Amino acid sequence: MENNLNKHISGRFNEELENVRNHVLSMGGLVEEQLNLALDAINDNDADKARKVSENDYKVNAMEVNIDEECTRIIAKRQPAASDLRLVVAIAKTIADLERIGDEAERIARVALDSFTKDQQDLLVNLENMGRQVSKMLHDVLDAFARMDAQSAFEVHKEDAKVDREYEALTRQIMTYMMEDPRSIPKIMDLIWSVRSLERIGDRCQNIAEYVIYFVNGKDIRHTSQEDIAKTL
């Protein structure tokens, strides 16, 4: 929550940290928009939307570079310690994951550039359904980051298990389809890579959730069981 953030930031450079945090949220908004546009491109079979995702990826990359430079300046100028340093570290790690989510969104959009038969439409529908699940995960983790809410971040963290199950089920379905129709393999491989990209986005969202918990509680919960994470909240 907002007071959670203020509690951890020393007054001297509160404005600088607020500024860089707002830039992260802007970047997150753009990445979320990119993912949703990629999913819309697949759902609508719209090549123009797919190309727009590809064209806008440079904006995501530029934002990462700019925010990273801001973090470097803050560290050099302010030499933050304790929770202030944790915030800068959390921001730097978050933007790296957001940039990679942007890359995955671009890969997903490429599926919309292919033409699929009517028999393959069910696979696309399932891909889009998984995509909406992952998109909600991204939206929720950005909200948790905005409020620096560890409990909300933990809820997102738990969602990744559902995404993994969906990934396994959809991958099995696609593999079965390819075995039944080997001629479809070249085209369907793009679909497999898109499903993999969605699973990776889920992993990235889980990472961001961990950074929020790290900032709020000062504990690195990577490679920690859900039960043990719950004990830290």
Side-chain angles (χ1 to χ4, degrees):
M1 284 175 273
E2 198 66 42
N3 61 347
N4 221 350
L5 182 70
N6 292 334
K7 182 176 71 176
H8 287 84
I9 298 176
S10 60
R12 288 184 308 162
F13 56 107
N14 179 62
E15 190 176 327
E16 290 175 16
L17 288 175
E18 274 295 311
N19 189 48
V20 74
R21 192 175 69 104
N22 288 335
H23 289 165
V24 175
L25 294 174
S26 295
M27 181 182 179
L30 176 58
V31 169
E32 188 179 355
E33 187 180 303
Q34 287 280 89
L35 176 57
N36 287 329
L37 188 60
L39 295 172
D40 288 344
I42 293 171
N43 187 51
D44 302 337
N45 193 25
D46 191 327
D48 288 337
K49 287 180 179 177
R51 281 189 282 269
K52 187 176 179 184
V53 173
S54 183
E55 289 165 5
N56 285 341
D57 188 57
Y58 81 93
K59 295 180 182 177
V60 176
N61 297 339
M63 291 179 94
E64 186 205 9
V65 170
N66 291 337
I67 295 168
D68 193 52
E69 287 175 352
E70 287 182 69
C71 289
T72 301
R73 279 197 301 270
I74 287 172
I75 290 172
K77 180 180 176 184
R78 300 295 188 182
Q79 297 181 343
S83 58
D84 294 333
L85 180 59
R86 287 206 307 273
L87 179 59
V88 177
V89 169
I91 285 172
K93 289 184 174 183
T94 294
I95 60 171
D97 276 305
L98 286 174
E99 189 275 332
R100 291 184 183 108
I101 291 173
D103 289 343
E104 302 294 357
E106 185 183 14
R107 289 190 190 100
I108 292 164
R110 290 176 197 159
V111 171
L113 298 175
D114 290 328
S115 57
F116 290 89
T117 66
K118 193 165 185 181
D119 291 342
Q120 295 162 352
Q121 290 302 314
D122 284 346
L123 298 177
L124 289 178
V125 168
N126 291 338
L127 173 71
E128 211 251 343
N129 288 340
M130 181 182 173
R132 297 302 173 190
Q133 186 179 353
V134 170
S135 176
K136 184 179 185 304
M137 199 175 168
L138 176 58
H139 178 83
D140 290 347
V141 83
L142 289 171
D143 182 63
F145 180 92
R147 297 182 292 117
M148 283 301 168
D149 186 333
Q151 187 61 52
S152 295
F154 180 51
E155 295 304 317
V156 175
H157 196 277
K158 291 189 289 186
E159 286 295 310
D160 189 55
K162 295 180 185 176
V163 172
D164 288 345
R165 287 194 295 271
E166 192 73 23
Y167 166 68
E168 290 165 7
L170 189 46
T171 299
R172 281 197 300 270
Q173 184 185 7
I174 294 171
M175 295 296 286
T176 300
Y177 184 90
M178 287 195 298
M179 284 189 284
E180 292 173 353
D181 182 10
R183 292 171 302 174
S184 71
I185 290 175
K187 184 187 294 183
I188 297 299
M189 284 305 297
D190 283 342
L191 208 55
I192 284 185
W193 291 122
S194 292
V195 174
R196 179 65 176 141
S197 286
L198 287 173
E199 190 272 337
R200 283 177 177 153
I201 291 173
D203 290 344
R204 302 290 180 193
C205 291
Q206 190 175 53
N207 289 348
I208 295 170
E210 290 175 356
Y211 307 148
V212 172
I213 294 170
Y214 163 73
F215 165 68
V216 175
N217 293 342
K219 293 184 179 177
D220 187 341
I221 51 110
R222 289 176 297 175
H223 316 300
T224 304
S225 69
Q226 299 283 351
E227 293 78 11
D228 288 340
I229 294 172
K231 292 173 187 174
T232 70
L233 301 176

